[in-house]
Amino acid sequence: MKQRIWIFIFSIILCVILTGCIKKDERGQKQKVVYVVCRRSVIPVQLGKLIDEQKREAFHFTYTTGGFTYYVIGYGRQPGSSYKIKVREFSADRTHIYIDTILTGVTKEHQKYGKSYPYIVLKSQFYEKDVIFH
């Protein structure tokens, strides 16, 4: 009889411990966000001014106007020119927008001449969610 009681108590303790170890993903599944990459000529004038103010250092921010949000990622001053920025992820779950970009470098030869301030502007519909830049 004592053995059954100990097995019962051990089972309850084990269930409590295992239940506490299970982590549920509250955010849900990520889905791709529809977006376009904007050239400087099509972004709002005020947004262009904000980019110019911050372009010397790496930055990221959002700018919302007219039902659209612009997600801006800049890599600061870089030697040379012809850099490319690739969007690796632009997705959303119930509570967040996730953006991951990468700067593709240039050859040593291209780095010798001049400087540039690479940035990318992504435009999508407005979402009332926090943004996580990777």
Side-chain angles (χ1 to χ4, degrees), residues 3-112:
Q3 187 177 12
R4 284 188 175 182
I5 293 173
W6 282 109
I7 291 174
F8 179 73
I9 292 172
F10 179 74
S11 298
I12 291 175
I13 292 171
L14 187 62
C15 287
V16 169
I17 291 172
L18 291 177
T19 304
C21 293
I22 297 172
K23 183 178 179 184
K24 188 175 180 181
D25 186 7
E26 304 269 332
R27 295 176 290 200
Q29 296 285 39
K30 289 183 183 178
Q31 295 181 341
K32 290 184 179 180
V33 174
V34 176
Y35 68 93
V36 295
V37 177
C38 296
R39 293 181 182 196
R40 177 70 182 233
S41 60
V42 298
I43 63 174
V45 174
Q46 185 62 33
L47 177 56
K49 290 178 182 178
L50 290 172
I51 293 169
D52 288 340
E53 290 172 5
Q54 297 188 26
K55 71 181 181 181
R56 286 167 184 68
E57 302 292 329
F59 66 90
H60 57 266
F61 64 87
T62 62
Y63 181 88
T64 301
T65 183
F68 294 101
T69 300
Y70 297 85
Y71 302 88
V72 186
I73 302 101
Y75 286 87
R77 182 180 173 170
Q78 302 292 327
S81 62
S82 301
Y83 287 90
K84 305 273 189 257
I85 300 172
K86 180 180 178 182
V87 179
R88 295 197 299 191
E89 178 185 14
F90 196 147
S91 60
D93 61 20
R94 288 186 1 197
T95 57
H96 294 88
I97 300 282
Y98 301 91
I99 300 175
D100 185 18
T101 60
I102 187 168
L103 179 67
T104 303
V106 297
T107 63
K108 295 275 185 194
E109 186 64 31
H110 282 98
Q111 289 181 7
K112 292 180 183 178

